[in-house]
């Protein structure tokens, strides 16, 4: 997928996360996010079901009470509490978000 290659290529050009929306339809969203070593995806909060899958590198997912190290091909359901994701090594991961609608309950 060219989008992921572009993100990986552009990691060394800044100290900000590289974010590219891949899909957004029907309450479902897929983002590709790149983090260079030491760069943080700051204090995020997802109020709906969300999962990440690491495509390249390693990341740490940190909450107030836990820290999780994820490597290539690891997947992880994000907690519904504030979290920060930090690139341990240059990393690219997918963030899949499913917005729950009132009809779905």
């Amino acid at each position: 997928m060219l989008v992921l290659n572009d993100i990986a290529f552009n990691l060394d050009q800044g100290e900000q996360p590289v974010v590219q929306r891949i899909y957004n339809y029907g309450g479902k969203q897929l983002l590709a996010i790149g983090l260079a070593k030491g760069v943080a995806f700051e204090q995020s909060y997802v109020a709906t079901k969300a999962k990440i899958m690491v495509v390249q590198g390693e990341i740490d997912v940190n909450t107030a009470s836990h820290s999780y190290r994820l490597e290539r091909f690891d997947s992880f359901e994000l907690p519904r509490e504030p979290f920060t994701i930090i690139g341990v090594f240059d990393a690219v991961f997918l963030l899949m978000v499913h917005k729950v609608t009132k009809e779905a309950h």
Side-chain angles (χ1 to χ4, degrees), residues 4-73:
L4 300 178
N5 287 334
D6 288 345
I7 289 173
F9 180 76
N10 289 314
L11 286 180
D12 63 349
Q13 297 187 10
E15 296 181 10
Q16 297 293 323
V18 179
V19 180
Q20 178 71 42
R21 181 171 296 157
I22 296 174
Y23 180 83
N24 185 19
Y25 182 76
K28 296 177 183 173
Q29 203 173 162
L30 178 62
L31 301 174
I33 301 170
L35 298 175
K37 179 180 178 180
V39 172
F41 188 63
E42 291 293 334
Q43 201 67 19
S44 298
Y45 175 79
V46 179
T48 62
K49 284 182 74 173
K51 194 169 199 172
I52 58 177
M53 181 177 168
V54 180
V55 177
Q56 168 186 314
E58 288 184 30
I59 58 174
D60 280 341
V61 179
N62 301 308
T63 68
S65 59
H66 292 89
S67 183
Y68 307 91
R69 172 75 44 99
L70 303 176
E71 300 175 351
R72 186 176 183 191
F73 301 133

